Amino acid sequence: MSKGEADTPNQHKISMAVHQNGTSTDNNDDHASSSTDNKNLYMTSASNVDRLNAGAKFVLESKGNWWHAGYHLSVSMAGPTLLSLPFALDGLGWVPGFLALTIATAVSFYAYTLISKVLEQAELEGHRFLRFRDVAGYFLGRRWGYYPIGAIQIAMCIAAAVICVLLGGESMQIIYQIYKPNGSMQLYEFIIIFGILMLLLSQLPSFHSLRHINLASLVFCLGFSLCVVGGSIYVGHSKQAPAKSYSVEGSSVSKMFTIFNSLAIIILNFGIGIFPEIQATLAPPVSGKMFKGLLICYAVVISTFFSVAGAGYWAFGNASAGNILTNLAPSGGVALIPNWLLFLANMFVIGDLFAVALVYSQPTFEIFEGRLSSVKSGKLSMRNVLPRFIIRSLYVSFATLIAAAFPFFGDINAIIGAFALTPLDFILPFLLYNVTFKPSIWTIKFWLNYVIIVVFTIVGLMGCVSAVRQIVLDVSSYKLFAN
């Protein structure tokens, strides 16, 4: 029986033991190989960490506690993209919008709990999955799991880094225009400044070394959310309050695409896409730690997502922009909130974006450093510091160039978000759980998991179509290095 067909966790244990002893009874190349590197392709023995390549050993070093995981999870989910939630409600309306938010909250928490149990079960049996592609490769094979999931995840991580650099530059430009409304600096210049600062921070050697930055980022997220909520309430009660409507406008076809686009935005906000990499930062044993980390994460998510979505949509209705800060400070217009509040909100956003960009860069760093660094030398040895500096500098420079050249990257990112985060966070966790624990076909959990897989597959596909449609509608306004 191949590993992907094992019926129970005990059978997985037998199969894993075969790998640990260096032999295999499976001749399928998708699941086994005689070389040591291929044995470690999908899993890592908790007692043989030294056999890891440099990327996994250094970037994903396992030293964290559950509260560190909570910081990492919070940064991965509750970032400045939540400022798009009032716009998502614009396409759904009050009741459907908050219903969609509630369902996404429950389903995503359930999904992350399930995949955490899969990873914990593997550790109980003597092995740890450190990377998402390892998990998928073990259960689905190299052809259908390891390579596709690896490619999807890296595309998502690169897109996240680019959009963070772009949004960081835009926030810097807003602050600049507060005090120099007629200033001559262009958007691409602020993007470059943000990129340079990110390049310096990217030299922190491991995911675990970001824990203090991510704690600060959690505070920043609460900060800009509070600013937006306060600012929206201020505008809604002021004499400058804009006329607003809460009706979903457009033809039947337009409304349908708008609905799926809004659902895709909500899914994007609840996606993480690097859950196994975050769990890999925990010091073993990991049992129960990720659940505690998720409680921290969802305390932040619930307090920020619902408040920002509700306050922003209440203040601006179906005129809510893709970034609610744009409503509070219209481009070329007069800010509707005090300058000090606008300044504070954007400073919090900038601080948070640095952390988000660094977190989503870690899987990419791990891949390159696994190939170009040496596990025999120390993490801080010149043999590894020099390639690390070069690799990370080139990566950040590339993200900065793309952000500066394509300031409309948000539309493209919507496609990547729908295409990548839907399978990683709303399909695979349920599939992997059912394959690992084999719940009975007569149980509610079995059917609930597959119903969620089908529903979110449809929503993800339609979200991709809606995003492509939006690009087609906006393409005439796209300009390289636009301001």
Side-chain angles (χ1 to χ4, degrees):
M1 178 179 290
S2 67
K3 289 187 271 305
E5 297 169 340
D7 290 328
T8 67
N10 287 334
Q11 287 172 311
H12 279 295
K13 186 172 183 178
I14 294 171
S15 183
M16 290 178 182
V18 170
H19 274 268
Q20 195 169 7
N21 291 332
T23 60
S24 175
T25 59
D26 189 349
N27 293 322
N28 188 339
D29 288 340
D30 283 352
H31 297 289
S33 172
S34 58
S35 69
T36 300
D37 288 342
N38 284 339
K39 289 173 190 173
N40 286 325
L41 183 61
Y42 303 131
M43 57 187 153
T44 301
S45 170
S47 61
N48 291 304
V49 177
D50 289 338
R51 297 170 65 189
L52 293 171
N53 64 34
K57 184 177 181 182
F58 297 152
V59 178
L60 301 178
E61 63 178 349
S62 304
K63 292 184 176 180
N65 295 310
W66 63 268
W67 54 89
H68 298 143
Y71 306 158
H72 300 328
L73 290 166
S74 299
V75 172
S76 303
M77 189 182 300
T81 54
L82 70 89
L83 298 176
S84 64
L85 289 175
F87 177 73
L89 263 62
D90 169 20
L92 297 170
W94 278 112
V95 175
F98 271 89
L99 180 61
L101 277 175
T102 303
I103 292 173
T105 302
V107 171
S108 60
F109 185 85
Y110 177 51
Y112 300 133
T113 301
L114 292 190
I115 195 169
S116 179
K117 289 183 177 179
V118 171
L119 296 169
E120 288 178 4
Q121 181 63 38
E123 185 184 356
L124 289 173
E125 295 167 353
H127 296 275
R128 292 188 70 183
F129 293 114
L130 300 183
R131 297 159 290 208
F132 219 137
R133 61 187 186 276
D134 295 337
V135 187
Y138 180 75
F139 289 105
L140 305 177
R142 181 181 294 190
R143 178 180 298 175
W144 299 106
Y146 185 84
Y147 289 122
I149 296 306
I152 289 172
Q153 188 191 48
I154 293 306
M156 180 270 298
C157 288
I158 294 174
V162 173
I163 201 67
C164 284
V165 175
L166 173 58
L167 292 175
E170 289 179 347
S171 289
M172 286 183 172
Q173 185 182 42
I174 291 174
I175 292 175
Y176 173 74
Q177 290 175 343
I178 291 174
Y179 300 103
K180 279 200 167 186
N182 298 317
S184 59
M185 290 185 70
Q186 301 293 301
L187 175 60
Y188 74 87
E189 296 177 85
F190 294 103
I191 290 173
I192 292 172
I193 293 172
F194 186 94
I196 292 172
L197 295 174
M198 181 183 162
L199 188 151
L200 297 175
L201 289 172
S202 70
Q203 303 308 317
L204 291 169
S206 69
F207 206 147
H208 180 64
S209 63
L210 301 179
R211 62 194 182 282
H212 301 303
I213 291 178
N214 289 345
L215 172 59
S217 174
L218 189 156
V219 176
F220 294 153
C221 178
L222 295 173
F224 72 70
S225 297
L226 184 61
C227 290
V228 168
V229 171
S232 297
I233 294 173
Y234 175 87
V235 170
H237 287 293
S238 71
K239 295 180 180 179
Q240 296 175 300
K244 53 184 176 287
S245 170
Y246 301 115
S247 61
V248 180
E249 301 176 347
S251 64
S252 298
V253 174
S254 177
K255 286 181 180 179
M256 181 189 70
F257 281 111
T258 300
I259 288 171
F260 281 105
N261 190 53
S262 295
L263 293 175
I265 291 172
I266 290 173
I267 290 175
L268 173 64
N269 275 278
F270 281 93
I272 293 178
I274 55 173
F275 191 92
E277 285 81 359
I278 293 176
Q279 185 152 329
T281 65
L282 289 172
V286 301
S287 181
K289 292 180 180 177
M290 285 301 281
F291 183 78
K292 294 179 181 178
L294 280 169
L295 293 180
I296 293 178
C297 173
Y298 275 81
V300 176
V301 164
I302 292 172
S303 62
T304 56
F305 281 30
F306 286 82
S307 60
V308 169
Y313 187 57
W314 171 79
F316 299 100
N318 56 20
S320 300
N323 181 345
I324 195 64
L325 287 177
T326 305
N327 290 106
L328 297 173
S331 179
V334 179
L336 302 179
I337 58 176
N339 284 342
W340 66 267
L341 185 59
L342 186 61
F343 170 84
L344 194 60
N346 280 280
M347 286 299 295
F348 284 140
V349 167
I350 291 170
D352 196 30
L353 284 167
F354 280 121
V356 175
L358 292 173
V359 163
Y360 278 99
S361 296
Q362 299 306 304
T364 310
F365 293 162
E366 181 271 321
I367 288 178
F368 285 115
E369 291 178 33
R371 285 159 175 75
L372 299 178
S373 299
S374 173
V375 73
K376 295 179 181 179
S377 302
K379 179 172 61 178
L380 300 179
S381 67
M382 185 56 65
R383 166 65 182 83
N384 289 328
V385 168
L386 184 58
R388 180 187 305 133
F389 176 78
I390 295 173
I391 292 165
R392 298 188 179 197
S393 298
L394 290 174
Y395 174 83
V396 174
S397 299
F398 172 76
T400 302
L401 176 62
I402 297 299
F406 302 94
F408 46 84
F409 192 78
D411 283 355
I412 301 173
N413 194 55
I415 297 178
I416 297 173
F419 177 74
L421 288 173
T422 302
L424 292 177
D425 294 322
F426 296 95
I427 296 175
L428 270 178
F430 306 103
L431 182 61
L432 295 177
Y433 182 87
N434 279 8
V435 170
T436 302
F437 293 98
K438 296 289 185 180
S440 170
I441 193 174
W442 304 109
T443 61
I444 295 177
K445 178 172 284 189
F446 177 90
W447 290 107
L448 175 62
N449 290 349
Y450 279 114
V451 167
I452 291 173
I453 289 172
V454 172
V455 170
F456 278 85
T457 297
I458 295 171
V459 172
L461 290 174
M462 290 302 298
C464 286
V465 173
S466 300
V468 171
R469 176 178 177 270
Q470 191 62 45
I471 288 177
V472 172
L473 294 175
D474 295 343
V475 70
S476 61
S477 63
Y478 292 162
K479 293 181 181 178
L480 293 176
F481 296 98
N483 192 35

